[in-house]
Amino acid sequence: NVISRNGMIEAEPVVNVLDETKPENRWFEWNREPGSYTWLEPFLDIESGKPATRVAYPIYKNGVFLGMSSIKLELMRFSKLFQTAYYKTLNYYIVSERGTFLYNPDTSKILRANILHDIDTGRSPEHIVEIAMEMVKGQSGVRTVAASDKPDEKFRLFYQPVKTTGWSIGIVVKEDEIMPGTTQRKNT
């Protein structure tokens, strides 16, 4: 097992690191179909203490299975995915196929909250549960939602499945920021 810890590369025997009773450590048993790959439900990494996931790919030579290659990805690296100075109100969320937050601007919710159970009904509560269900089911859509404390403040919510992982990504931005001028014209 080779890891990067505090900027240093360390190698240690796998038997000292892996608890084979945990699903995230049994990647060597995953789908061995040639050309397939498997994404694991995210977990809290025992080496870094950070949210992570794994993707595994079977290795074949001349049609003979040789083993599995697995890569661990730290989920906090997603925080840089949508960094932008253009949209000041842009936020995004990534949820697993079970509804677990894999990325949330409120980092205390990552791997600890579920979009189906821990919904912030501060924005248009009549649609949030429905949108959450659609995201977990792998559906896509665009909705306009309002902040409950400011009903005139509208947000555009875009959501789309990530088919290779079973995850879903939701992007939220203030409507008047993505369509400047339309709100002013509508109100005059």
Side-chain angles (χ1 to χ4, degrees), residues 42 60 63 108 166:
Y60 282 83
S108 70

Side-chain angles (χ1 to χ4, degrees), residues 31-107:
N31 187 353
R32 294 180 178 188
E33 191 69 31
S36 67
Y37 51 90
T38 305
W39 285 88
L40 183 67
E41 181 76 10
F43 55 92
L44 192 61
D45 182 45
I46 59 173
E47 296 163 341
S48 68
K50 297 177 182 177
T53 188
R54 281 193 183 277
V55 61
Y57 188 83
I59 301 169
Y60 282 83
K61 184 174 182 181
N62 299 327
V64 177
F65 176 74
L66 299 177
M68 298 290 283
S69 175
S70 170
I71 299 171
K72 180 174 54 181
L73 304 168
E74 287 186 2
L75 297 177
M76 295 307 290
R77 294 181 186 253
F78 288 134
S79 66
K80 296 180 179 151
L81 190 62
F82 286 103
Q83 286 183 346
T84 175
Y86 189 76
Y87 293 117
K88 306 278 186 262
T89 61
L90 183 130
N91 275 315
Y92 73 99
Y93 306 83
I94 301 174
V95 296
S96 75
E97 60 190 340
R98 295 180 187 161
T100 303
F101 281 106
L102 308 181
Y103 182 78
N104 189 309
D106 177 355
T107 57

Side-chain angles (χ1 to χ4, degrees), residues 1-2 4 13 27 41 49 55 75 77-78 85 87 91 98 101 109 111 117 127 132 144 149 155-156 160 165 177:
N1 189 44
V2 178
S4 173
W27 52 267
E41 181 76 10
V55 61
L75 297 177
R77 294 181 186 253
F78 288 134
Y87 293 117
N91 275 315
R98 295 180 187 161
F101 281 106
K109 293 184 177 184
L111 295 185
H117 309 295
H127 298 302
T144 300
D149 57 338
F155 292 82
R156 194 59 64 102
Q160 180 77 31
T165 61
E177 192 173 4

Side-chain angles (χ1 to χ4, degrees), residues 18 23-31 54 56 67-70:
L18 295 181
E24 65 265 24
N25 294 333
R26 299 194 64 79
W27 52 267
F28 50 86
E29 293 180 347
W30 292 351
N31 187 353
R54 281 193 183 277
M68 298 290 283
S69 175
S70 170

